Amino acid sequence: YYDAHPKQMPTLNYTEEESNEISGIAADVKSCVSSSMAEFITGNRPLSDWDNYLEELNNMGLPRLVEVAQTAYDRAVGTAIE
C-alpha cells in the first residue's frame, strides 16, 4: 500500500483570518464529538439519535470547518482555484 501511495497528508496552514474563523468551531465540534462518542459507546445516547447528532455538528459549523480545511489543503498541494 505504501509503495502505491507514498505521499503523506500535507500540513494545513491556515491564514490568520481562517484560523480566527474556525478556532471556535473546531473546539465546539471536538467537544461534541468526544462527549457524544462516550455517550454512544456507553449507551447513554441511543444510536437512534445519530441523525440528531449529525444535525448538531452541522449546526455548530462543521460544513464550514470542512470547507476551510479543503481550501487550506488545496493551497498546500497547489491546486487551489482562484
Side-chain angles (χ1 to χ4, degrees):
Y1 178 82
Y2 179 80
D3 291 337
H5 303 283
K7 293 185 178 179
Q8 294 182 358
M9 175 75 172
T11 300
L12 300 183
N13 294 310
Y14 296 101
T15 65
E16 185 176 345
E17 184 178 280
E18 289 168 340
S19 266
N20 290 338
E21 179 181 1
I22 66 170
S23 64
I25 297 171
D28 291 346
V29 166
K30 183 177 179 179
S31 176
C32 180
V33 167
S34 293
S35 64
S36 294
M37 182 175 24
E39 290 172 342
F40 283 125
I41 290 171
T42 61
N44 290 330
R45 187 169 186 177
L47 290 177
S48 60
D49 201 32
W50 185 258
D51 289 338
N52 290 332
Y53 165 67
L54 296 179
E55 187 175 335
E56 287 173 29
L57 292 174
N58 286 333
N59 289 338
M60 288 178 184
L62 181 60
R64 180 63 183 148
L65 181 65
V66 171
E67 182 181 340
V68 172
Q70 183 66 56
T71 299
Y73 175 82
D74 290 345
R75 195 169 42 242
V77 297
T79 61
I81 299 172
E82 296 182 27

